[in-house]
Amino acid sequence: MEVKQIAQLATTLATTATNQAIGVAVMKKAMDVQASSATALLEALPPATPANLPAHLGQNVNTTA
């Protein structure tokens, strides 16, 4: 291998590593934004209210229907 080819290979490897690091950083930032958005949506939900059903409803599941 010539010196010129070795220098080109080293430059290519350094550029590739930098591009991968940038891609990982962008992906982590996107995941953080998505997590905070999901948390905000969950906090915006109203609290669950118990259903006003008679006591005998919701006790059995019909598995033959």
Side-chain angles (χ1 to χ4, degrees):
M1 235 187 221
E2 294 183 23
V3 174
K4 185 177 180 181
Q5 290 175 337
I6 293 172
Q8 286 176 343
L9 178 62
T11 303
T12 302
L13 290 174
T15 303
T16 302
T18 303
N19 288 341
Q20 286 179 346
I22 291 170
V24 169
V26 169
M27 184 176 60
K28 284 182 181 179
K29 182 65 177 175
M31 289 172 67
D32 290 342
V33 168
Q34 186 177 15
S36 65
S37 296
T39 302
L41 284 173
L42 289 174
E43 289 175 354
L45 288 173
T49 56
N52 294 327
L53 297 176
H56 69 281
L57 289 179
Q59 301 297 318
N60 301 317
V61 177
N62 186 356
T63 59
T64 59

